[in-house]
Each structure stands twice: as C-alpha cells, then as structure tokens.
Amino acid sequence: QVQLVESGGGLVQAGGSLRLSCAASGRTFSRDVLGWFRQAPGREREFVAVISWGGGSTYYADSVKGRFTISRDNAKNTVYLQMNSLKPEDTAVYYCAAAPSGSAIYYYTYAYAYNTWGQGTQVTVSS
C-alpha cells in the first residue's frame, strides 16, 4: 500500500521551532516532487513549500519564506519541513503530498497537482 505518514507536529510557543517529517512507503518517491500544505480550521488547504525530485529546486509560500526550509532524503524516502520562528497563524494541520515530476515548480503550488497525500499532523503555536 502506497502511503505518506507525517510526524513531528505538536504544541510550541511563538518563536519556537518544529521539524516535520514525512515518510513514504509502498514505493520509492525519489522521482516525485514532494510538497507540504496546511489547513487551518475554517480555511482552505494552502500551499506551504515544494521540493523537486533531486532537491535542487524549492519554492515557498510568501507567508513562510525565510522561516521554513523544505528538504528531502531520497535514500530514506523522506521529506522534511524545518519550521523556525513559528507564529500563531502557522497553526494548522500540515500535510505532505507527492506528485509526478515534469512540470514547472510553480505548478506544484496547486493541490490538484498531487496524487498521493498523507493524513496530516497537527501543529499548534501558542502566543
């Protein structure tokens, strides 16, 4: 069974850091684009960050640029999201997702580009 499993979420004070992980299983994702999205209560799912299959290209939402860093370890079939200087508005369920490579990086800011999703991990930032 192909699946993505997120971990690393939790409760943190504003200004703190968390590192999310997303482990893939069932097949190798080394040729996939991997992305992170988030969804806060009452809001639509929004793009956070994306990384190309080789790790050479990344793209971030303006709201997280300079604070979050996406990376991947293809040998471990895992993608990470390092989140620093967290703000209360970062509170959301964070999802990782995988998509076939081949399009421009900006295409992967849209949720419909992805065909495999994890179940999500809750991140809560207190003020």
Side-chain angles (χ1 to χ4, degrees), residues 1 14 24 27 42 44 49 59-60 68 71 73 78 87 97 118 120 123-124:
Q1 181 180 359
R27 66 170 177 86
E44 294 187 353
Y59 191 82
Y60 298 90
F68 291 11
S71 62
D73 185 338
T78 301
K87 305 175 181 179
V123 171
T124 303

Side-chain angles (χ1 to χ4, degrees), residues 11-17 85-88 124-127:
L11 173 64
V12 64
Q13 288 188 332
S17 299
S85 302
L86 282 162
K87 305 175 181 179
T124 303
V125 184
S126 63
S127 57

Side-chain angles (χ1 to χ4, degrees), residues 53-117:
W53 70 268
S57 295
T58 58
Y59 191 82
Y60 298 90
D62 288 343
S63 59
V64 307
K65 200 172 297 182
R67 300 188 297 122
F68 291 11
T69 302
I70 188 171
S71 62
R72 66 190 293 166
D73 185 338
N74 286 341
K76 296 182 178 179
N77 233 12
T78 301
V79 61
Y80 305 96
L81 186 68
Q82 178 67 43
M83 306 185 295
N84 298 328
S85 302
L86 282 162
K87 305 175 181 179
E89 51 263 44
D90 294 318
T91 295
V93 177
Y94 283 71
Y95 300 89
C96 66
S101 299
S103 299
I105 196 77
Y106 184 74
Y107 172 74
Y108 299 99
T109 65
Y110 296 98
Y112 60 68
Y114 298 81
N115 56 16
T116 304
W117 291 83

